[in-house]
Amino acid sequence: MNPVVVVGAGIAGVACARELAAAGLPVRVLDRGGRVGGRMAVRTVDGHAVDTGASYFTVGEPAFAAVVEDWRERGLARTWTDTFHLAGPDGLEGTKAGPVRWAATAGLRSLVVDLARGLDVVSDHVVERVAPGLVDGEPASAVVLAMPDPQAARLLDVADTLTDYTPALVLAAGFDRRSWPQLDAAFVHDDPSITFVADDGARRGDGAPVLVARSTAGLARAHLAEPAGATATMLAALARVTGVADLADRTTWTFVHRWTYAQPASTREQPWHLGDDLVGRCGDGWSTRPRVEAAFESGRLLARELASRLGAAAHG
């Protein structure tokens, strides 16, 4: 039997591949990146793992909860906080309680790496063309595109992307010591430059003096060609939020990461797509609430449907 080929090694693609393998199906994962993880990305600076993609995850569905509990028992994941600050153009405005947010001691990518153990994953592999039963001309029993719709549409050579994605920039800044008020993270409203700030040392649990900020879509669009050009603007916004006027002068290092397809611009009721041609799509864009858990569930549920159809075909 030809393998099911999953294109994309973010958490949706890896969860899909893991479920397919558990069903006894041959599966191969192809990813253009050098490491698995997708938008659960991490960059290590001065020995500190900084989350540059997803900021955290929440837990609700039983299947995902079981995986997270295993991560927690093995020290890979940790509860972070259920309370974030709120901030506006004039700084911090109070706090708001919500669901428990989870983080990973080595960064969120490490959790995808753990899920991918034992799978046939080929990194640094750029897929050029997908057709029913074929990936770059090689046979496949089925194909799963675990990626944002604009990327999937290019591989399928169709104009309909189904949903658009908004861009974002992620600024990380390191300091020699903490100089800002105690906070885990803050949702920022009505600021032209940033929408979210996280204390990465609090998130990781190691106390490192590192702040991470996510830009507005407008600022990202203005700096997609040269992300580093947004550094000063985002640092100025961080200074407003934290109330530390000379925050930019206190940095020891900074970098800005670009996400062209950071977040779905709209939502869907259906959690996955699978055509009669056995070309499927999954990811956080297939959800009413795009988030890490939704991406995991999208990949897992698509795999279960795909395994059912392939099993029926094999015994039909």
Side-chain angles (χ1 to χ4, degrees):
M1 182 179 185
N2 292 320
V4 177
V5 176
V6 177
V7 185
I11 193 167
V14 170
C16 183
R18 174 178 163 134
E19 191 78 11
L20 289 167
L25 294 169
V27 58
R28 171 169 288 185
V29 182
L30 306 178
D31 192 79
R32 65 186 302 166
R35 300 176 62 189
V36 304
R39 281 172 289 146
M40 291 174 68
V42 172
R43 180 168 171 177
T44 300
V45 183
D46 288 344
H48 180 81
V50 182
D51 282 305
T52 59
S55 300
Y56 55 85
F57 64 91
T58 56
V59 181
E61 295 294 333
F64 188 57
V67 172
V68 172
E69 178 59 20
D70 176 63
W71 285 336
R72 186 195 65 78
E73 290 178 351
R74 292 188 287 131
L76 300 179
R78 63 186 294 270
T79 55
W80 177 21
T81 183
D82 65 355
T83 303
F84 281 174
H85 277 76
L86 300 175
D90 298 323
L92 298 175
E93 300 174 345
T95 60
K96 181 178 181 179
V100 173
R101 281 84 173 190
W102 288 72
T105 53
L108 292 181
R109 174 185 276 158
S110 68
L111 305 180
V112 188
V113 171
D114 185 69
L115 279 180
R117 295 190 190 283
L119 296 175
D120 179 9
V121 179
V122 181
S123 300
D124 295 314
H125 184 109
V126 179
V127 173
E128 300 290 348
R129 174 71 177 166
V130 168
L134 293 171
V135 177
D136 287 340
E138 295 294 322
S141 61
V143 183
V144 172
L145 302 181
M147 60 186 65
D149 279 355
Q151 295 174 319
R154 286 200 298 269
L155 291 181
L156 293 169
D157 195 24
V158 296
D160 181 14
T161 64
L162 298 185
T163 188
D164 198 5
Y165 275 64
T166 57
L169 305 176
V170 176
L171 165 76
F175 305 84
D176 58 2
R177 62 182 179 85
R178 292 169 173 270
S179 59
W180 52 88
Q182 182 176 355
L183 57 83
D184 285 301
F187 294 119
V188 185
H189 65 85
D190 298 327
D191 189 282
S193 303
I194 63 175
T195 61
F196 182 75
V197 176
D199 183 322
D200 208 56
R203 173 165 56 186
R204 192 78 58 249
D206 61 7
V210 177
L211 290 174
V212 178
R214 179 174 290 256
S215 78
T216 60
L219 185 68
R221 290 189 184 100
H223 291 277
L224 284 179
E226 189 182 359
T231 301
T233 300
M234 295 183 72
L235 282 174
L238 266 178
R240 292 194 298 271
V241 168
T242 60
V244 182
D246 63 343
L247 189 76
D249 297 331
R250 295 171 179 261
T251 60
T252 57
W253 54 263
T254 62
F255 69 82
V256 178
H257 188 92
R258 172 187 63 212
W259 291 105
T260 303
Y261 305 115
Q263 187 172 357
S266 59
T267 61
R268 296 183 175 98
E269 292 291 334
Q270 64 269 39
W272 44 262
H273 167 78
L274 183 60
D276 293 336
D277 58 4
L278 295 185
V279 176
R281 299 187 192 184
C282 63
D284 66 337
W286 295 88
S287 171
T288 56
R289 295 180 60 200
R291 60 202 192 281
V292 170
E293 181 177 32
F296 175 92
E297 281 293 294
S298 176
R300 185 182 73 86
L301 294 175
L302 172 59
R304 294 185 68 178
E305 175 64 19
L306 190 50
S308 175
R309 293 197 198 182
L310 289 173
H315 296 94

